Amino acid sequence: MKIPKEIKNIIEKLNKTGFEAFIVGGCVRDILRSKKPNDWDITTNAKPEEIQKIFPKSFIENEFGTVTILTESEDETLKEIEITPYRIESEYSDLRHPDKIEWAKTLEEDLKRRDFTVNAMAMEIKDRKYKVIDLFGGLKDLKNKIIKAVGNPDERFKEDALRLMRAIRFVVTLDNLPCFEWEIEERTKTAIKENAHLLEKISNERIRDELVKILMSKNGARGIEILRRYGLLKYIIPELEEGFGMGQNKHHIYQVYEHMLLSLNYACQKDFPLLVKIAALLHDIGKPRTKQGEGPNCTFYNHEVVGAEMTKKILERLKFPKKDIEKVVKLVRYHLFYYNKDEVSESSVRRLLRNVGPENFDDLLKVRQADRIGSGVPKAEPFRLRYLRYVAEKVLQDPISVKMLKVNGNDVMKILNLKPGPKVGQVLDILLGYVLNDPSKNDRNFLENEIKKLGQLSDTEISQLAQNARIEREKIEQKRDEMTKQKYWIS
Ligand code: ATP
Ligand code: MG
């Protein structure tokens, strides 16, 4: 893995001015496992003002004294590079923010405040030589795929309870290799379970950001299940646990919670968009509260309506953007659409499109696929779904009609001095025929001229031409339908 020249330049400049500087944290971890880092962090013994003096194109962003350097790089991850002075974190009386930020004198002090051993390594870059500074066994843990707190895990989680979620986030995001999953070290694991309740003190925005990172990964569903096993899920989405251990009726082989997670898992495996994943996870969230009866004949009437309301509350609580909430709520509310071929009429599809919004239709079908696979049904997109897609495209297509023309009935009546009657429509039909043959003819001047020419013809001639034009148009419509059918493999 090559270190970009932008990073090397910054380190070199700091060194030349007499300061220590290292790349540190997640980017060192990622280089060592041959992954491109999401962002680059540099740490130094220079103070913010000293850094800014060396790099005038920079700004101070946060209360931690981080200086952001602007580079000219084309690479998104290198446009802004953060340099943070060595620091110590002292008391966290609110369990969120350190009470005061103190600069540290040594790199060691700075590494000590970092959360996990694999995130607490630094790398020295001097004269093209790289040296890893690993004070807490991060290299070994990286090799064995172990998340282990730096220092005393109990104290570290008490300092900042978001680390409880970060531990699980790293377990699911660092790799996706089956058989080689990351694990949490025993003492760290125990401390997570014991301190789970501290998550209550963490702001919903920070919780949301970690949750999103978990869901973005291929292992998102595994992440949710680990959160549950470690007692964290009830501080994030407690509603999910209502379905834990709850059986369904004879149409289902999985329990409610299992089914929601398996649906999410399919969405994660397929790399569906984040909001589709959230909808897949929450689509049956209303089931526990609507369950009636027990055993093979129990029912969940209206669970999609109750589920949509619950989804709204959950996502509002987690401070998701309003637009995203609206979308996921719709996906949950309408996930139960019928799609047996006989039940799919153009009007029912039109209604579904109106309800969920044409822009969300594809995603709704993705949720439904996830739902199907999550029920243990092997095929995600049978003929029925393709047929539904076909009808949807058909009803969304602009109708071929005289409304497309740049002239209308009034123009015809004015130019030919006619009263309303069948002849007006016939003239328009003829004009539409011209335009369908050659779209460039849909021009006001041209069409007005043609109207004048048609005025020279007899009524019988006009009626005959209009008749021919309509037959031609039907052929074009049929051809278009054939093409749509072919697109969806409907014969
Ligand atoms: P990502 O790949 O998502 O960027 P990262 O490990 O780089 O993961 P960041 O949130 O970018 O995580 O933070 C950079 C580094 O800062 C971490 O690797 C870790 O050393 C330290 N760090 C971040 N957040 C915390 C925290 N809450 N407690 C302790 N150290 C933290
Ligand atoms: Mg990072």
Side-chain angles (χ1 to χ4, degrees), residues 120-291:
M121 291 182 277
M123 193 183 269
E124 187 181 63
I125 303 168
K126 256 191 188 144
D127 314 322
R128 300 206 181 164
K129 285 207 195 88
Y130 306 154
K131 190 174 118 201
V132 179
I133 294 131
D134 174 23
L135 306 177
F136 310 103
L139 275 173
K140 188 172 111 261
D141 290 339
L142 191 64
K143 212 163 126 193
N144 292 315
K145 302 187 193 266
I146 301 283
I147 294 295
K148 179 181 173 194
V150 172
N152 180 329
D154 185 62
E155 286 169 13
R156 304 313 310 281
F157 291 124
K158 288 197 161 78
E159 274 171 9
D160 178 7
L162 189 71
R163 292 171 189 158
L164 298 161
M165 270 185 96
R166 281 175 62 88
I168 284 134
R169 189 250 284 189
F170 288 118
V171 162
V172 296
T173 56
L174 286 183
D175 276 323
N176 293 311
L177 278 180
C179 316
F180 295 98
E181 285 105 352
W182 280 71
E183 273 180 34
I184 301 178
E185 177 264 344
E186 279 311 313
R187 275 180 66 215
T188 305
K189 198 187 280 184
T190 308
I192 295 177
K193 290 179 180 166
E194 285 173 3
N195 289 295
H197 62 280
L198 295 179
L199 210 53
E200 244 174 349
K201 312 268 183 202
I202 298 295
S203 77
N204 287 315
E205 287 86 348
R206 287 182 86 200
I207 289 184
R208 175 204 59 212
D209 289 348
E210 285 303 320
L211 179 67
V212 164
K213 285 181 183 167
I214 290 173
L215 292 175
M216 296 281 270
S217 88
K218 276 231 165 37
N219 294 324
R222 180 165 173 252
I224 301 291
E225 173 59 4
I226 302 178
L227 288 172
R228 190 193 65 76
R229 291 188 188 185
Y230 289 10
L232 298 170
L233 189 59
K234 58 172 169 289
Y235 303 102
I236 306 168
I237 308 181
E239 294 87 345
L240 278 171
E241 295 205 6
E242 293 173 20
F244 183 74
M246 175 180 277
Q248 305 200 59
N249 54 30
K250 57 188 171 217
H251 303 298
H252 297 267
I253 53 175
Y254 298 119
Q255 297 173 343
V256 177
Y257 172 84
E258 286 171 341
H259 167 61
M260 290 193 286
L261 253 66
L262 290 168
S263 304
L264 168 64
N265 190 49
Y266 179 78
C268 288
Q269 294 305 316
K270 287 280 169 188
D271 256 329
F272 283 164
L274 174 69
L275 299 184
V276 173
K277 290 181 179 178
I278 298 178
L281 175 64
L282 299 180
H283 77 279
D284 276 350
I285 197 80
K287 276 194 167 170
R289 297 189 189 177
T290 52
K291 184 172 181 180

Side-chain angles (χ1 to χ4, degrees), residues 72-131:
E72 243 108 80
S73 174
E74 297 282 298
D75 183 334
E76 275 305 321
T77 62
L78 287 164
K79 283 200 159 93
E80 298 190 349
I81 295 164
E82 298 192 338
I83 309 185
T84 308
Y86 296 163
R87 58 174 229 256
I88 314 175
E89 280 164 356
S90 38
E91 288 289 287
Y92 279 70
S93 40
D94 64 352
L95 295 139
R96 291 183 189 188
H97 304 289
D99 295 345
K100 57 178 195 284
I101 303 292
E102 269 182 75
W103 304 136
K105 292 217 164 47
T106 63
L107 174 67
E108 180 178 351
E109 287 174 293
D110 184 87
L111 293 179
K112 240 161 88 179
R113 70 160 176 93
R114 294 176 183 269
D115 48 6
F116 304 110
T117 58
V118 292
N119 289 346
M121 291 182 277
M123 193 183 269
E124 187 181 63
I125 303 168
K126 256 191 188 144
D127 314 322
R128 300 206 181 164
K129 285 207 195 88
Y130 306 154
K131 190 174 118 201

Side-chain angles (χ1 to χ4, degrees), residues 24 65 184 252 273 317 392 471 478 490:
V24 70
I184 301 178
H252 297 267
R317 189 173 70 222
I471 293 170
Q478 262 174 22
I490 309 286

